[in-house]
Amino acid sequence: MRIDEIKTQIFQLEKELLTPQVRENSLKLNSILAADFFEFGSSGTIWSKKDAVEGGLSLREMTLSDFDIHPLAKDVMLATYRVHDKTRNQQTLRSSIWRKNGDQWQLFFHQGTLAK
C-alpha cells in the first residue's frame, strides 16, 4: 500500500474519532483502539482502552487540521495534527501511533497537548 493511501485511511479514522457517533459507540471504539491502547490527555489524565470504551469519550465540537503521517516502522505510523475544540475554545496538538493489525489500522497511543 502506498503512503498516500495509508495517510487517507488514518486521516479518516482520526476524523471519525472526533465524532459523537464514534465517541459514544463502544463497539466502534473497541474496533479502532488496540487492546493495549493508552492516552496522555491534554488534561494530564492517562486513559486506557477500558476507560475509553466503558466510559465513552467526551463529546465536543472539534475540527482537525494540519494532518500528516510519519512512518516509524513497517506497519507503524505516527500521525500528527491540530484540533480546534470549538466547545472549549481550545487548540491542541495531537499525536497518535497507529499499528496495522491484520488488514486494519488500530490506535495504539494518543497524546493531546494544549497549544497557544
Side-chain angles (χ1 to χ4, degrees):
M1 180 173 289
R2 297 186 351 232
I3 193 77
D4 58 327
E5 294 170 332
I6 295 169
K7 184 176 180 178
T8 298
Q9 286 181 353
I10 293 175
F11 177 74
Q12 290 303 322
L13 288 165
E14 290 282 9
K15 277 182 50 176
E16 284 181 28
L17 282 166
L18 296 180
T19 67
Q21 295 82 1
V22 171
R23 295 175 81 82
E24 293 182 309
N25 184 330
S26 59
L27 291 175
K28 187 71 172 169
L29 285 173
N30 196 48
S31 170
I32 293 174
L33 303 180
D36 51 353
F37 166 81
F38 66 106
E39 173 180 344
F40 295 155
S42 60
S43 64
T45 303
I46 300 173
W47 305 93
S48 68
K49 178 175 182 171
K50 181 180 177 187
D51 297 328
V53 171
E54 291 181 5
L57 300 173
S58 60
L59 301 179
R60 299 188 296 269
E61 186 180 353
M62 297 180 280
T63 57
L64 185 154
S65 64
D66 300 330
F67 182 84
D68 206 357
I69 61 169
H70 314 272
L72 298 177
K74 183 180 182 321
D75 295 333
V76 179
M77 296 287 164
L78 170 66
T80 57
Y81 56 98
R82 289 182 163 274
V83 166
H84 177 207
D85 180 338
K86 295 178 182 179
T87 305
R88 295 188 300 177
N89 195 29
Q90 287 182 332
Q91 297 278 337
T92 52
L93 301 173
R94 304 289 181 110
S95 58
S96 301
I97 298 176
W98 290 85
R99 281 191 313 222
K100 193 85 179 260
N101 183 7
D103 62 351
Q104 175 182 346
W105 287 99
Q106 287 190 310
L107 184 56
F108 163 68
F109 171 77
H110 182 73
Q111 179 167 358
T113 304
L114 291 175
K116 294 183 179 184

